[in-house]
Amino acid sequence: MAIYLKTEEEISLMRAANQLVGSTLGELAKHIKPGVSTAQLNKIADEFIRDHGATPTFLGFPNPYGPEFPASICTSVNECVVHGVPSDSQILKDGDIISVDCGTLLNGWNGDSAYTFPVGEISDEVRQLLRTTKESLYLGIEKAVHGNHLGDIGQAVQDHCESKGYGVVRELCGHGIGKSMHEEPQVPNYGRRGNGTKLKEGMCIAIEPMITMGDRKIWLMQDKWSICTRDKKPAAHYEHTVAVYKGKAEILSSFEEIEKIFKI
């Protein structure tokens, strides 16, 4: 499939969709604490997105292995890497971590971002996993400039995380984004500098490191959505949508509202 380069006007529309994702995650940050169910978080996000004139992209998302996604956000707790399904029975407790992945469709364009939140007091060991994963996201973004390659992004993420002893998930990756949530190209979190598709001004991509505390091996759970670590050790996931420019990528999504509440 061809890679669709966006105009400045189209990037502006994508910026609005992604800023709404950032605001949604910021709203959820106010509610993430012990005793809250992941279903409650899903309800808050769904209402917030719709109240701001958009639709949640994830709800009803097709699945080649089973049922459509039944919720408006992914809530992935502890060893769940991504695609966790919200439920009334999953209650957050002190010491948990939860990755919330959120997508919006606003005026025909998609936004996509994710953040891993601490629940109450987490261990120093887990906090370091979160910090390293988040750092790797920004190191990858630094490489998302015109003239570089996808391998430059992947190597930046991989080198940083593996140097700390963490696992880098290989089976899942970031992606192009625009009028569709998932467009070409795929954006791996591993690679070699100078390899892979060459980046061009106007490309919009979602970069999303998925990093494990232990072994990088994962498996698909019985709900046909949740992806968990095989060794049951925690995993972290952060994601920004960025526009590729000459000299510097622009981050279209935002953690600003989250970081007024949570400091990692």
Side-chain angles (χ1 to χ4, degrees), residues 115-180:
Y115 196 93
T116 302
F117 299 86
V119 180
E121 291 297 321
I122 62 172
S123 70
D124 290 342
E125 184 183 30
V126 173
R127 187 173 296 277
Q128 185 58 39
L129 170 69
L130 268 55
R131 186 177 293 122
T132 300
T133 305
K134 189 176 173 187
E135 288 168 352
S136 77
L137 169 62
Y138 288 102
L139 290 170
I141 290 170
E142 286 178 8
K143 302 297 183 182
V145 296
H146 178 88
N148 276 356
H149 293 77
L150 287 174
D152 296 292
I153 298 173
Q155 183 174 24
V157 173
Q158 181 182 10
D159 285 356
H160 187 65
C161 294
E162 289 185 347
S163 72
K164 309 279 180 140
Y166 300 130
V168 178
V169 173
R170 304 293 183 97
E171 296 86 351
L172 303 162
C173 60
H175 50 91
I177 182 170
K179 286 191 170 181
S180 297

Side-chain angles (χ1 to χ4, degrees), residues 101-112:
D101 196 350
C102 179
T104 65
L105 182 67
L106 180 65
N107 297 320
W109 294 88
N110 282 280
D112 190 13

Side-chain angles (χ1 to χ4, degrees), residues 4-202:
Y4 176 36
L5 303 180
K6 278 72 175 178
T7 65
E8 280 300 320
E9 181 179 358
E10 290 168 338
I11 290 172
S12 178
L13 291 165
M14 288 192 63
R15 189 180 297 112
N18 278 282
Q19 289 296 308
L20 177 55
V21 174
S23 295
T24 305
L25 292 173
E27 180 65 23
L28 290 173
K30 302 173 186 176
H31 301 274
I32 291 175
K33 57 188 176 183
V36 173
S37 74
T38 52
Q40 285 175 279
L41 297 177
N42 179 67
K43 185 174 185 292
I44 291 164
D46 183 89
E47 291 177 355
F48 189 89
I49 292 167
R50 296 182 192 279
D51 286 349
H52 287 81
T55 55
T57 321
F58 296 171
L59 183 62
F61 204 84
N63 182 354
Y65 307 109
E68 295 177 342
F69 195 74
S72 298
I73 55 172
C74 299
T75 52
S76 305
V77 178
N78 296 331
E79 73 272 14
C80 187
V81 185
V82 287
H83 304 162
V85 179
S87 73
D88 289 311
S89 62
Q90 188 172 47
I91 310 296
L92 299 180
K93 62 184 187 298
D94 191 62
D96 284 344
I97 57 173
I98 176 172
S99 162
V100 180
D101 196 350
C102 179
T104 65
L105 182 67
L106 180 65
N107 297 320
W109 294 88
N110 282 280
D112 190 13
S113 184
Y115 196 93
T116 302
F117 299 86
V119 180
E121 291 297 321
I122 62 172
S123 70
D124 290 342
E125 184 183 30
V126 173
R127 187 173 296 277
Q128 185 58 39
L129 170 69
L130 268 55
R131 186 177 293 122
T132 300
T133 305
K134 189 176 173 187
E135 288 168 352
S136 77
L137 169 62
Y138 288 102
L139 290 170
I141 290 170
E142 286 178 8
K143 302 297 183 182
V145 296
H146 178 88
N148 276 356
H149 293 77
L150 287 174
D152 296 292
I153 298 173
Q155 183 174 24
V157 173
Q158 181 182 10
D159 285 356
H160 187 65
C161 294
E162 289 185 347
S163 72
K164 309 279 180 140
Y166 300 130
V168 178
V169 173
R170 304 293 183 97
E171 296 86 351
L172 303 162
C173 60
H175 50 91
I177 182 170
K179 286 191 170 181
S180 297
M181 173 59 74
H182 294 144
E183 298 183 353
E184 291 296 322
Q186 294 189 348
V187 185
N189 294 304
Y190 63 95
R192 293 174 59 190
R193 186 171 58 250
N195 284 11
T197 300
K198 192 171 184 178
L199 302 175
K200 295 182 180 180
E201 189 167 24

